Amino acid sequence: MGGMHGLGPIEYEQDEPVFHSPWEARAFALNVATRAGRKWNIDAGRHEIELIPAAHYLRMSYYEKWAARLEKLLLKSGTVTAAEIESGRAAPGSAKATPALTAAQVPSMLRTGALASRDVRVEQRFQIGQPVRARNINPAGHTRLPRYARGKIGTVDRHHGVYVFPDTNASFLGENPQNVYSVRFAARELWGDQASPRDSVYIDMWDDYLDPA
């Protein structure tokens, strides 16, 4: 939500720990471990956080959102029931599944992650140095196109390669791999004359987020 009007500056915590308390580490571990079951993907998980009602979203800490997201994903996928979440115990007679992730697999999984890059040939629509305009779209589902950049003009700074398109992947409509570019936007283009003329913002953007300027 950085850059959105009215939300104040980004808070920076000096020497911030990875986790502020043990429950945060547990929330992180549960989110990573359950994704190994492949019942949802990272973009679907991000969208589930976006579906948290605004009044709750704004008061919740980072890992509170992760815990709330996981609960919804587990329910939607049929992995657990509402009664099991409420009790904290498996229902009597519930099916037992072979774990998709073992303790021995965890170090490798954390080192490599789940790559979103794809080794496929996709036509590159834009070139380095080319001026582009971010599309002024307002999708109902998930998107990685920041609201404050929509309709603004920037310049392609670099080409990252081909990656899964999050907007379709989040809705299980296919990976739709596309080129991703780092696009430089002058701060004044985004926020007007009050912004510093020396500052720029670099945003990673997919083909479907851009038009020639």
Side-chain angles (χ1 to χ4, degrees), residues 18-54:
V18 176
F19 302 109
H20 291 84
S21 58
W23 75 264
E24 292 186 339
R26 189 172 182 84
F28 171 78
L30 286 169
N31 271 268
V32 173
T34 50
R35 268 194 61 206
R38 299 185 181 279
K39 292 190 175 183
W40 58 83
N41 57 59
I42 189 171
D43 297 309
R46 286 169 171 160
H47 185 46
E48 201 62 51
I49 288 180
E50 294 164 351
L51 294 175
I52 297 173

Side-chain angles (χ1 to χ4, degrees), residues 17-36 40 42 46 49 61-71 73-74 101 106-114:
V18 176
F19 302 109
H20 291 84
S21 58
W23 75 264
E24 292 186 339
R26 189 172 182 84
F28 171 78
L30 286 169
N31 271 268
V32 173
T34 50
R35 268 194 61 206
W40 58 83
I42 189 171
R46 286 169 171 160
I49 288 180
S61 69
Y62 183 78
Y63 281 107
E64 280 184 284
K65 297 182 181 78
W66 277 50
R69 173 260 302 276
L70 180 59
E71 180 178 315
L73 289 169
L74 289 170
L101 180 69
V106 169
S108 175
M109 181 179 179
L110 292 178
R111 281 196 302 269
T112 59

Side-chain angles (χ1 to χ4, degrees), residues 35 40-45 116 118 142 164-176:
R35 268 194 61 206
W40 58 83
N41 57 59
I42 189 171
D43 297 309
R118 294 294 181 265
H142 178 64
V164 172
F165 186 49
D167 299 45
T168 55
N169 198 43
S171 300
F172 305 101
L173 298 176
E175 292 191 343
N176 190 16

Side-chain angles (χ1 to χ4, degrees), residues 118 120 122-123 125 159 161-165 168 175-181 205-209:
R118 294 294 181 265
V120 296
V122 178
E123 180 184 359
R125 295 182 57 219
H159 176 239
V162 175
Y163 286 78
V164 172
F165 186 49
T168 55
E175 292 191 343
N176 190 16
Q178 298 180 16
N179 293 280
V180 177
Y181 315 87
M205 309 189 85
W206 281 254
D207 275 318
D208 278 5
Y209 294 167

